[in-house]
Amino acid sequence: MNDLKTIFNKYGGAIIGFVVGLLLAIILFCTSLYKFVIGIALIIACIYFGNYVQVNKAEIKEKTKKFIDRL
């Protein structure tokens, strides 16, 4: 019994995360909600990329020029 308690104390968060993730995956795929989640993830990725380009504009211009010169 102590072994089970120590295992759950050590990996309890991972076990609970697995169960919640599994339930979410089942719900997403059964209700076609995954399309919505993928769309939101794509929007967030584009927002991050756009911000990265705006902040590092000079560095990106340099890398783009070097890449075009190699071609």
Side-chain angles (χ1 to χ4, degrees):
M1 190 67 171
N2 275 343
D3 292 336
L4 186 60
K5 198 175 219 181
T6 56
I7 288 174
F8 191 73
N9 282 337
K10 190 172 183 181
Y11 300 110
I15 293 169
I16 292 170
F18 171 76
V19 171
V20 170
L22 187 62
L23 289 174
L24 275 174
I26 290 170
I27 290 170
L28 288 176
F29 285 111
C30 289
T31 62
S32 296
L33 193 60
Y34 68 93
K35 294 176 185 176
F36 175 73
V37 173
I38 290 173
I40 296 296
L42 184 62
I43 290 170
I44 291 172
C46 289
I47 289 170
Y48 175 77
F49 180 72
N51 186 44
Y52 177 80
V53 169
Q54 183 180 4
V55 171
N56 300 315
K57 201 180 308 182
E59 184 179 323
I60 291 174
K61 278 184 181 179
E62 254 183 60
K63 288 182 180 181
T64 306
K65 284 181 183 178
K66 287 180 182 179
F67 177 73
I68 291 173
D69 289 340
R70 277 190 271 158
L71 293 178

